[in-house]
Amino acid sequence: MTSNHELFQRAQPLMPGGVNSPVRAFNSVGGEPFFTQRAEGAYLWDVEGKRYIDYVGSWGPMIAGHNHPHVREAVERAVRDGLSFGTPCAAEVTMAETIQAMVPSMEMLRMVNSGTEATMSAIRLARGATGRGKIVKFEGCYHGHGDSFLVKAGSGALTFGVPTSPGVPKASADLTLTLPYNDPDAARALFAEQGADIAGLIIEPVAGNMNCVPPEAGYLEGLRELCTQHGAVLIFDEVMTGFRVAAGGAQAYYGVTPDLSTFGKVIGGGMPVGAYGGKRELMQQIAPTGPIYQAGTLSGNPVAMAAGLAMLELVREPGFHRALEDKGAMLVNGMQQLADKHGIAFSTHLVGGMFGLFFGPGPVTRFEQVTACDIDAFKRFFHGMLERGVYLAPSAFEAGFMSSAHSDADIEQTLAAADEAMAALHA
Ligand code: PMP
């Protein structure tokens, strides 16, 4: 039988860190990653046959659980007709109609192949449409690995201590202005000073790449107002929140409408898919109707569209997100009670199907509070949970993801593991 260790030994000389995406490598929590053989419902099984209750969900897409038969069968049907056409296909039209029905601000849209592509395209559009150069982003937010975004970034960039990556040209980084999240005064001051040069502002409407930090009341509304006043394009990066915090994303959850939105993860049902879109007068400026260029050989791929559409059918079911949030509440409230029992400074956040666990006092609303949490306690907790068959994201700076496949029994088992893992923190 192949072992995790043996595979990792083979992988390391071949791929940086032995992986194809950094956070998978466990560098920040220590130890070696496991290699997944198979996934079903709420579970992953590694190549050694060990089962994990999974709260990563392929980093977000698997909101209905792994290998859901409705999605798998849609893919199997699509595959029979061919893998890629390079011409338009019917599923792309149905996908656009479905997204628009769920997220009405998406008056027009373009499918791409990843969240990174979606965000890179959205800021090109903001720049092209406004004729301005500067982009505003938030400290601890992650929008993929485009040059403009790897400035004070979250997720793996933060986890590995390189929030501003070498290799990003200074000329590019200089065009990215950063603001502290949940600080309306700082945003007002920046726009007062540089508003005329700002093409767009991009934000995770619920920050999910510095753990999970929801916007404070009125914060998104204030940013909406600032962008309108200064003629800047407001972009909600809903790659993580889209179809996860509500069927209509964070914009529906908070009732704030951006000019452009970006999607990924859930929208592809596990296949490599992203999308960007929004106001018609902006989207019409994209080639071929307009001069702003963006393209993709495999964009709107028929198999990927079939997977995404099947996934969206599942999440459109009435009550889907309510049930997800109820499960999330059972988990985070249970964790909080256990931490209190063990005398551990701890707090949580929950928004729809995403949650945050912090080894520090709450409520955590600012980036500095996230980085001030006890990262060492998190690492030990992570490994305590992993040993007991529960897989949390291997970084203190990632949100957790609930799926509709997690049963009460799974959550109870997770809490029983947490009770032991927290007790061991004192040892
Ligand atoms: N935006 C957000 C908010 C994300 O969470 C991510 C990925 N975690 C991305 C963009 C980039 O997406 P991808 O990894 O598909 O390129």
Side-chain angles (χ1 to χ4, degrees):
M1 187 181 68
T2 324
S3 72
N4 290 309
H5 179 67
E6 187 189 312
L7 279 169
F8 198 47
Q9 293 292 104
R10 280 168 55 197
Q12 281 169 295
L14 298 168
M15 294 174 272
V19 293
N20 282 311
S21 198
V23 179
R24 293 182 201 166
F26 280 26
N27 288 47
S28 74
V29 287
E32 297 187 352
F34 62 89
F35 285 69
T36 300
Q37 173 85 44
R38 177 169 86 79
E40 184 92 38
Y43 312 122
L44 299 174
W45 284 266
D46 71 14
V47 291
E48 297 173 15
K50 179 170 174 174
R51 192 195 81 169
Y52 304 86
I53 302 174
D54 176 27
Y55 292 98
V56 183
S58 191
W59 299 90
M62 298 325 215
I63 195 166
H66 290 282
N67 205 4
H68 194 289
H70 185 63
V71 179
R72 185 180 63 238
E73 284 157 19
V75 168
E76 284 167 352
R77 276 195 304 276
V79 162
R80 281 185 218 130
D81 287 333
L83 299 185
S84 175
F85 307 140
T87 72
C89 68
E92 294 170 84
V93 185
T94 312
M95 176 59 101
E97 286 167 347
T98 304
I99 294 171
Q100 194 186 70
M102 296 177 78
V103 187
S105 75
M106 296 286 275
E107 293 169 5
M108 290 184 87
L109 58 105
R110 174 63 62 82
M111 302 307 298
V112 292
N113 305 290
S114 67
T116 296
E117 265 189 73
T119 54
M120 281 168 43
S121 308
I123 61 158
R124 182 178 305 137
L125 174 52
R127 285 176 163 148
T130 58
R132 301 173 180 176
K134 291 187 177 165
I135 294 292
V136 179
K137 76 173 282 290
F138 292 82
E139 196 174 4
C141 281
Y142 180 72
H143 305 289
H145 63 87
D147 280 352
S148 305
F149 305 122
L150 289 181
V151 179
K152 294 195 181 177
S155 190
L158 177 59
T159 303
F160 298 126
V162 284
T164 305
S165 173
V168 173
K170 185 173 179 304
S172 174
D174 285 349
L175 292 174
T176 301
L177 310 173
T178 55
L179 280 172
Y181 196 88
N182 271 335
D183 182 345
D185 293 338
R188 269 193 292 273
L190 181 69
F191 272 87
E193 201 185 283
Q194 306 200 46
D197 299 326
I198 296 172
L201 175 149
I202 186 164
I203 186 166
E204 292 180 63
V206 178
N209 286 290
M210 50 165 155
N211 207 321
C212 174
V213 181
E216 290 188 291
Y219 185 57
L220 296 175
E221 288 86 340
L223 296 177
R224 170 68 279 180
E225 225 172 275
L226 273 177
C227 286
T228 305
Q229 264 171 24
H230 293 270
V233 178
L234 176 63
I235 306 166
F236 277 3
D237 180 356
E238 297 233 40
V239 167
M240 192 180 280
T241 54
F243 315 103
R244 171 163 289 280
V245 301
Q251 52 197 279
Y253 194 98
Y254 293 105
V256 178
T257 307
D259 300 309
L260 293 177
S261 305
T262 55
F263 294 96
K265 301 188 190 278
V266 172
I267 207 175
M271 300 291 280
V273 178
Y276 71 100
K279 279 195 171 152
R280 185 174 304 281
E281 68 252 36
L282 289 172
M283 289 305 291
Q284 273 174 333
Q285 300 185 44
I286 295 290
T289 40
I292 301 169
Y293 201 71
Q294 182 275 315
T297 299
L298 295 174
S299 296
N301 172 273
V303 183
M305 293 302 97
L309 279 169
M311 185 61 91
L312 293 182
E313 271 165 21
L314 295 174
V315 308
R316 277 181 96 172
E317 287 290 315
F320 181 91
H321 292 87
R322 163 44 66 97
L324 215 55
E325 198 161 47
D326 288 348
K327 289 173 198 284
M330 182 178 168
L331 181 75
V332 300
N333 295 338
M335 289 270 188
Q336 185 68 58
Q337 278 167 16
L338 291 170
D340 294 347
K341 179 180 102 174
H342 291 287
I344 296 167
F346 190 83
S347 60
T348 68
H349 278 306
L350 173 69
V351 187
M354 62 194 275
F355 63 85
L357 306 174
F358 300 88
F359 282 86
V364 175
T365 60
R366 300 288 179 103
F367 177 73
E368 305 77 56
Q369 285 172 283
V370 176
T371 53
C373 285
D374 186 343
I375 306 300
D376 189 57
F378 168 78
K379 288 180 191 175
R380 290 190 289 143
F381 181 67
F382 168 84
H383 280 290
M385 295 299 276
L386 194 68
E387 266 166 42
R388 294 170 176 83
V390 179
Y391 182 49
L392 302 170
S395 162
F397 303 123
E398 304 286 348
F401 297 125
M402 187 58 75
S403 86
S404 57
H406 287 89
S407 65
D408 286 3
D410 292 326
I411 296 168
E412 277 158 19
Q413 204 181 323
T414 303
L415 293 172
D419 195 6
E420 291 178 14
M422 286 187 190
L425 289 182
H426 293 301

